[in-house]
Amino acid sequence: MSQPELVRDSICVAEMILDSTVEQSVELDYFLPDYFPNIFKLLKTSVTPVIQSQKIGGNQLALDGSAAVRVLYLAEDTGQICCVTQNIPFSKTVELPAECQNPTVQILPRCYFVSGRAVNQRRLDIRGGISCKVRVCDQREQQVVTGGSGGGMQFRQRRLSACSIRKNGQKSFVVSEDLDLGGTKPPFASLLGYAANAVPTEVKLIANKAICKAELSIHLFYLPEGENARPETMEYSIPISQIADLPGVEEDASCAARFCVTGLTIEPRADETGESRVLNAEITLTLTCTADKNEDVILADDAYSTLFETSITSRPVAAERLLQDADLTVTTRSTVDTPAPISAVCDVWASFGEYSTRLEEGVLSLSGNLEITAFCIGTDGSPFVFDKTIPVELRLLTGVEAEELSFLPAVEILSCGYAILSENSLEVRAELRVSGPVYEKCRFPAILDIAVNEEAPRARDALCALRICYAEAGDSVWDIAKSYSTSMAAVLEENSLEAERLDARTMLLIPLIDG
């Protein structure tokens, strides 16, 4: 008797290659340009990191980024608010434990520590630390046994819905736009800070491409012209669209798009009145697209022979099934105490620090720290800046029917507002966007090969054709059939059963088949 004839097919398995954090130090010894006034007092030092490119070659991940260092200070003699900025490029190479076939890379950078001090009136010493949460997931085709015949083989088959090979695309581009301050705002003198994000409004797939539209929102915090001018804010909204290459993508796939603002420069110019009321803005963005498509596959996760001892070669694998492309907007409200009495608030901005997700009793939650910065005017007329860290927990999805999820969302601050409750307290409102694909993780043993030992036939009583088994509630008919070296189909038919798992204690008749 020859070995059984096996039927094979390929499935797409997902393997977490890397889930780690890498760090990058920031060190800057900065001398003020000649056209900046001397330093009297530092108000705020910040470092904002962005990842500009990433590439995997062999078993290495190379990433390039930039850290925008921004220092707000009060000038000597005049008390004018000044801002100096410096971009520090950085590169990191991360060793991967294995080479990848079709990797998906997610990198979430944040600044976890920064300190700045004035060495003298013209020199700044800035130190900081950047952490990048790096996650590399690889997809690869795995040949598995789905069934077969001969040698008395029995196969337990399962139907699985899982993602096929994922399509990834990325594109960097620049948007140039003239921003008008209008007649109600004072003329522009210098930029003190900004916040920008782009929220997708439409994603359409065509042959090998994704057409993505978004609304680009820009919040400017600037110092107007004139002595003793207080900072002002302006809001802009710009529609944008881009086409990203996604080779092999099909129109019925699900595509998640994310626009990341990696830089913004402002060049003021005079309008017809001679005042700086028109701002030429250049915004650098990166569009990342991820397209998934669930497909049904049938595979065998257990097998045995009714005639011979069987040797099975298997390995545990995991596949991912796309549940949804999450795009959620949540609002948080917090009351914060100010370190000194305030008479006015010029601006409030926020970022979201390190965070984690949790699935518990069907509820997907996100926990993290909302890091708030407020630029205030004290009751004595002096400006000051203070920071607050507020732990928050957000309920994202309910009724999630999955044992394990794979979800590393992007968290963006869409807007940040405030209300003055008293001289010593503020209510801060932050609107957050949480987005990214949500996958169900399916783990199972994949059978790679099967062999029967023809020299080790299973013991069988030739005079016995039927046996009796007392089974308990919850027992598997497959396991019972396997233990008696018979087929599950024969046990189901003999006992008029439809379900493969017993719902009550039952006496079963076990037919002993020959072959």
Side-chain angles (χ1 to χ4, degrees), residues 32-83:
L32 293 182
D34 293 340
Y35 49 85
F36 273 87
N38 288 344
I39 299 169
F40 170 68
K41 180 184 178 182
L42 296 187
L43 295 176
K44 173 69 176 177
T45 302
S46 64
V47 173
T48 305
V50 294
I51 301 300
Q52 296 168 321
S53 67
Q54 60 206 33
K55 183 178 181 180
I56 288 183
N59 62 344
Q60 290 186 332
L61 166 65
L63 61 91
D64 295 310
S66 177
V69 179
R70 188 178 300 272
V71 179
L72 295 173
Y73 73 92
L74 295 180
E76 189 180 35
D77 298 330
T78 64
Q80 179 186 0
I81 302 168
C82 302
C83 178

Side-chain angles (χ1 to χ4, degrees), residues 428-456:
V428 178
R429 303 178 301 275
E431 186 180 35
L432 291 78
R433 176 174 178 249
V434 183
S435 61
V438 182
Y439 302 100
E440 178 185 10
K441 204 82 168 181
C442 307
R443 301 183 184 275
F444 53 90
I447 299 177
L448 307 183
D449 200 9
I450 299 174
V452 298
N453 185 357
E454 299 175 11
E455 297 180 358

Side-chain angles (χ1 to χ4, degrees), residues 395-467:
R395 287 168 60 96
L396 303 179
L397 299 172
T398 58
V400 180
E401 296 182 1
E403 292 184 3
E404 182 182 358
L405 292 183
S406 174
F407 183 44
L408 183 65
V411 182
E412 304 169 272
I413 306 295
L414 297 181
S415 64
C416 195
Y418 63 90
I420 300 177
L421 302 179
S422 69
E423 285 188 345
N424 297 101
S425 66
L426 298 174
E427 182 189 67
V428 178
R429 303 178 301 275
E431 186 180 35
L432 291 78
R433 176 174 178 249
V434 183
S435 61
V438 182
Y439 302 100
E440 178 185 10
K441 204 82 168 181
C442 307
R443 301 183 184 275
F444 53 90
I447 299 177
L448 307 183
D449 200 9
I450 299 174
V452 298
N453 185 357
E454 299 175 11
E455 297 180 358
R458 294 190 181 275
R460 186 180 298 276
D461 187 349
L463 300 179
C464 182
L466 197 69
R467 300 189 68 174

Side-chain angles (χ1 to χ4, degrees), residues 354-383:
E354 187 173 0
Y355 55 86
S356 61
T357 58
R358 184 178 74 255
L359 178 64
E360 192 173 272
E361 296 181 352
V363 178
L364 178 62
S365 302
L366 181 142
S367 301
N369 291 323
L370 185 65
E371 298 169 353
I372 295 171
T373 301
F375 192 110
C376 304
I377 304 297
T379 52
D380 60 355
S382 300

Side-chain angles (χ1 to χ4, degrees), residues 105-148:
V105 182
Q106 295 172 297
I107 305 176
L108 302 177
R110 73 179 187 94
C111 176
Y112 66 89
F113 158 74
V114 63
S115 68
R117 68 184 183 93
V119 179
N120 55 44
Q121 295 174 322
R122 307 292 305 171
R123 181 180 174 187
L124 293 167
D125 178 55
I126 298 167
R127 298 288 182 267
I130 297 171
S131 69
C132 297
K133 184 175 180 60
V134 181
R135 193 162 91 163
V136 180
C137 181
D138 189 33
Q139 284 183 314
R140 60 187 67 202
E141 296 283 351
Q142 175 71 61
Q143 285 283 323
V144 299
V145 175
T146 61

